Amino acid sequence: MQWLSLKQTSPVKRSVADYNALRQLFTTYSPDILAFQEVDSTEALYRIVDKTQYNIYLSDRIHNPQDTFKKNNQYTGFAVKRHIVVNDITDLSQLSSPAIATGIPMPFKNKLRYGSIIEIVINQQSIQLLNLHLKSGCFTETQLFKQKTQACKTLTQQLTLIKQWVETQQQQSYPFIIVGDINHQIVDSRQFLRKISNDAGAIKLLSTAIKANCTVKLVTKKTRIRTYRQLIDHLIATTDIKALSQQQIQYDRQKLLQFTLSDHCPLLFTLSLNSIEKS
């Protein structure tokens, strides 16, 4: 959501008109579940999503002072329509300091984003959703392979922790979805899936069918327009979850120039879950 915050210290400041434009865009699609990144508070997000229709599940990180910053923070989380049964699961907080969590010598404290987790119940079947915002700066497969930068080393450590979470879910044989800002271009899906699972054949990259063509306005010290031709936002799911449709939502050019929206184009999925019989 590109620093969605009501604080005056936020790197991105939005007007009432900006929030109204974001609200109109969200209302156009009204997804059952929104997996968001870079939100500072529920108050800011409720300016976009209807409080009477959605519950917000904000990252546990907001309650841990040792992993937050005094001025501005970027939290992951979910906004879920109120008719959906939700169990708020403890976050994958180890992603904040992955060197420490993976036992790397001389670890350092990153204060990175947690992985938010919820469990939803659809047709009496439970699905766990893990929402990620991983370390930025290691965007290509070549960079990740060479491991020359701190960003790539950190991303590798985070992927190791995600692999541990995936293995736990696969042992339970329950369906799950991993979604969010991976901050990495996945060109070879099988190669990437092997980094997060010993049974890569049991999961699929459902975002692979989307052709990226995302034009955004980057609002920092200098405002500029940029088009991205590669996805760094992705959705991975167990094979019992099918994508009936998937798309990248493009911003209207006039609104893009007029308002401060986001530096990512949202991905929209319609998913179905096959019936699962437990032995």
Side-chain angles (χ1 to χ4, degrees):
M1 303 292 277
Q2 194 183 9
W3 290 103
L4 192 76
S5 174
L6 302 178
K7 296 177 181 177
Q8 289 301 310
T9 55
S10 176
V12 177
K13 298 178 177 63
R14 288 180 171 84
S15 66
V16 172
D18 294 332
Y19 275 99
N20 288 341
L22 282 167
R23 187 179 183 91
Q24 183 180 33
L25 177 68
F26 180 80
T27 304
T28 299
Y29 299 95
S30 295
D32 292 324
I33 300 173
L34 169 69
F36 60 81
Q37 301 84 39
E38 295 197 26
V39 172
D40 183 72
S41 66
T42 56
E43 291 79 12
L45 191 58
Y46 271 135
R47 290 198 176 187
I48 297 171
V49 308
D50 188 341
K51 192 171 186 177
T52 65
Q53 294 188 39
Y54 289 87
N55 287 318
I56 294 175
Y57 301 89
L58 199 62
S59 172
D60 297 339
R61 184 179 173 216
I62 196 172
H63 302 301
N64 293 333
Q66 70 272 20
D67 281 338
T68 58
F69 299 96
K70 292 181 179 180
K71 289 185 177 180
N72 307 297
N73 287 281
Q74 298 178 342
Y75 299 120
T76 55
F78 298 89
V80 186
K81 282 191 174 177
R82 290 180 176 271
H83 72 271
I84 297 175
V85 177
V86 176
N87 181 20
D88 193 2
I89 306 295
T90 301
D91 280 8
L92 191 59
S93 60
Q94 297 94 322
L95 296 177
S96 176
S97 301
I100 295 174
T102 53
I104 301 298
M106 297 182 67
F108 58 96
K109 201 165 182 63
N110 283 308
K111 290 190 177 183
L112 299 175
R113 279 82 49 159
Y114 288 13
S116 296
I117 306 174
I118 60 170
E119 181 182 66
I120 62 171
V121 180
I122 303 293
N123 296 331
Q124 298 182 333
Q125 294 186 19
S126 297
I127 309 171
Q128 285 213 7
L129 282 71
L130 170 61
N131 179 8
L132 301 172
H133 186 179
L134 300 184
K135 176 64 177 176
S136 182
C138 188
F139 297 109
T140 69
E141 291 181 354
T142 300
Q143 290 173 326
L144 188 61
F145 175 76
K146 290 183 177 180
Q147 291 285 293
K148 289 187 176 180
T149 65
Q150 190 62 62
C152 288
K153 292 175 183 177
T154 299
L155 180 60
T156 296
Q157 294 159 7
Q158 289 184 317
L159 294 177
T160 298
L161 295 169
I162 293 165
K163 186 174 186 177
Q164 294 172 4
W165 182 87
V166 166
E167 289 176 353
T168 299
Q169 305 313 306
Q170 289 178 329
Q171 289 171 4
Q172 301 296 324
S173 298
Y174 281 114
F176 63 83
I177 295 169
I178 300 173
V179 66
D181 182 359
I182 308 300
N183 265 320
H184 186 72
Q185 301 164 9
I186 302 176
V187 178
D188 186 336
S189 61
R190 285 180 296 180
Q191 179 179 319
F192 183 83
L193 294 177
R194 285 195 290 267
K195 294 182 184 300
I196 63 169
S197 176
N198 286 325
D199 187 7
I203 54 179
K204 295 186 301 181
L205 181 68
L206 297 184
S207 50
T208 190
I210 299 174
K211 293 183 179 180
N213 185 26
C214 176
T215 300
V216 297
K217 181 170 64 177
L218 301 175
V219 183
T220 51
K221 293 181 180 179
K222 182 179 179 181
T223 299
R224 57 194 175 98
I225 304 298
R226 183 171 177 178
T227 298
Y228 294 96
R229 307 291 184 185
Q230 296 285 344
L231 288 182
I232 60 171
D233 302 299
H234 299 282
L235 188 145
I236 298 163
T238 45
T239 53
D240 39 33
I241 296 173
K242 311 294 182 184
L244 303 180
S245 67
Q246 60 270 85
Q247 69 178 102
Q248 185 181 64
I249 297 171
Q250 312 297 328
Y251 295 126
D252 176 82
R253 183 77 178 185
Q254 182 178 351
K255 291 183 178 180
L256 175 69
L257 296 173
Q258 184 177 0
F259 303 111
T260 298
L261 301 174
S262 177
D263 57 351
H264 286 238
C265 292
L267 302 185
L268 183 66
F269 294 87
T270 302
L271 304 175
S272 68
L273 172 66
N274 291 343
S275 296
I276 301 172
E277 292 186 7
K278 290 288 186 180
S279 58

